Amino acid sequence: MFARNPSIICVSIYIFLSLLSVVTILGNLLVIISVIYFKQLHTPTNSLILSLAAADLLVGILVFPLSMAFSLSSCIYYEHVLCKIRRCLDITLSTCSILNLCCISIDRYYAVCKPLSYSIKINYNIVMIMILMSWGVPALIGIGVIIAGLNQGKCEERCFINIQIKSTTASVLSFYIPVIIMLGIYLKIFLVAQKQARSIQSTKSGARVSKMERKATKTLAIVLGVFLLCWTPFFVCNNISHFSSDPMPDPVIETLNWLTLSNSMLNPFIYAFFYSWFRSAFRIIISGKILQGDFTNSKLR
């Protein structure tokens, strides 16, 4: 009876989460259109940002609705097959985001620490290989989880969301190790950037280029920081629950799950806030100017 007469609170939560999904979709669409449309944004780094935005877009389109279904499963009944699809998408897209961030950190490392060899080490062919690996490996993992039957079991009254493989080993391999690697890379970048800032102050053009690279690295480091703030609590609590006799409270699980999903919504706002050229691109797209003429070669400031 309750399923046929959802409460006002349940409906309100659906509306709020639906708006969250819409903002996630529109924000990442702006990033994707900007990178594809404007030639000034056709860089290896932005290609990796485009790949990350595509993963976030799919989270908004696919994972958000299924998460709403299972988070509010007391409001309506869903079949077991949706539970498997939901978990497969979670594992695939979350791992994809992590690998994309790893690739971005590698790109930043060569841009700041080894600028003379950057164009050789990080060209479009290498970037395409990075992107293919960032999508191919997670897809294989997600499919493998389903085939191996790691997510078997019927959805009971509430089918709680488990974004990564439940075992601690899988969490270490898919989250903790990549994060430690990224933190190490960014620490190295910041140390090198400080040395560069002191050594090239006498060269105006060199200082300008270095400043741009450091700003890009700082922005992408903030993207990583926000990612950690959104994802770490879930993984920590998930691992703690494996060693605890008491299960994690349901509201905590649901809250941490939606915190992880909110990361896909926040990235476009970070780009818009820190990158002036993304802000310019967003304004041109939102105003509809790209429908009135050719702005592909516009100088974004």
Side-chain angles (χ1 to χ4, degrees):
M1 180 178 295
F2 180 72
R4 296 180 180 180
N5 299 282
S7 66
I8 295 177
I9 295 178
C10 184
V11 173
S12 299
I13 295 175
Y14 264 122
I15 293 174
F16 172 76
L17 296 180
S18 296
L19 290 175
L20 203 65
S21 176
V22 170
V23 172
T24 300
I25 293 171
L26 294 180
N28 285 287
L29 272 177
L30 282 175
V31 175
I32 292 171
I33 294 172
S34 297
V35 175
I36 293 176
Y37 183 80
F38 296 99
K39 291 184 178 180
Q40 182 179 335
L41 300 181
H42 291 180
T43 66
T45 302
N46 288 336
S47 296
L48 294 171
I49 290 177
L50 172 65
S51 178
L52 179 61
D56 290 337
L57 176 66
L58 290 178
V59 169
I61 294 175
L62 301 176
V63 180
F64 266 76
L66 290 172
S67 294
M68 290 166 58
F70 293 124
S71 293
L72 303 174
S73 57
S74 59
C75 299
I76 189 169
Y77 176 77
Y78 287 87
E79 295 296 333
H80 173 50
V81 65
L82 290 179
C83 181
K84 284 191 174 184
I85 294 174
R86 168 65 176 83
R87 288 173 175 173
C88 181
L89 289 173
D90 263 344
I91 293 168
T92 300
L93 294 177
S94 60
T95 306
C96 180
S97 294
I98 293 172
L99 293 184
N100 272 299
L101 286 171
C102 280
C103 292
I104 289 173
S105 67
I106 294 172
D107 169 85
R108 290 296 84 204
Y109 172 79
Y110 279 101
V112 176
C113 300
K114 300 181 182 294
L116 297 179
S117 61
Y118 176 77
S119 59
I120 299 175
K121 297 290 185 179
I122 308 295
N123 53 49
Y124 280 103
N125 291 332
I126 298 298
V127 168
M128 286 305 301
I129 293 174
M130 288 182 174
I131 292 174
L132 288 175
M133 290 183 62
S134 297
W135 285 86
V137 172
L140 292 175
I141 292 175
I143 295 173
V145 166
I146 299 301
I147 294 176
L150 296 180
N151 285 323
Q152 288 181 352
K154 294 183 178 180
C155 291
E156 299 177 356
E157 182 179 357
R158 292 180 61 81
C159 182
F160 295 118
I161 296 164
N162 192 351
I163 296 181
Q164 289 288 354
I165 302 173
K166 289 185 177 180
S167 69
T168 303
T169 302
S171 296
V172 170
L173 293 175
S174 62
F175 180 75
Y176 293 111
I177 290 180
V179 164
I180 291 173
I181 292 174
M182 284 187 283
L183 289 175
I185 290 175
Y186 276 111
L187 177 60
K188 174 67 173 178
I189 289 173
F190 285 128
L191 293 176
V192 171
Q194 288 181 344
K195 293 180 180 179
Q196 289 179 347
R198 290 192 294 266
S199 63
I200 65 174
Q201 286 179 349
S202 59
T203 307
K204 182 177 294 185
S205 60
R208 183 174 63 252
V209 173
S210 178
K211 182 179 179 181
M212 292 176 59
E213 292 293 356
R214 290 200 304 272
K215 182 177 180 181
T217 301
K218 179 181 178 181
T219 301
L220 294 172
I222 292 173
V223 171
L224 173 61
V226 172
F227 177 87
L228 291 176
L229 288 174
C230 291
W231 284 84
T232 302
F234 177 86
F235 276 96
V236 171
C237 291
N238 187 42
N239 292 142
I240 289 176
S241 65
H242 295 319
F243 300 96
S244 175
S245 57
D246 298 325
M248 194 67 63
D250 297 348
V252 174
I253 296 176
E254 298 299 335
T255 300
L256 294 180
N257 171 73
W258 282 103
L259 179 62
T260 63
L261 294 180
S262 67
N263 179 247
S264 296
M265 177 193 67
L266 295 174
N267 285 339
F269 291 99
I270 297 174
Y271 303 141
F273 186 80
F274 288 99
Y275 283 143
S276 59
W277 48 88
F278 268 112
R279 288 198 299 272
S280 299
F282 290 174
R283 283 196 293 267
I284 294 174
I285 295 171
I286 294 174
S287 64
K289 289 183 179 179
I290 61 173
L291 301 177
Q292 303 170 7
D294 185 5
F295 289 85
T296 57
N297 295 307
S298 298
K299 181 66 176 179
L300 302 174
R301 299 180 181 275

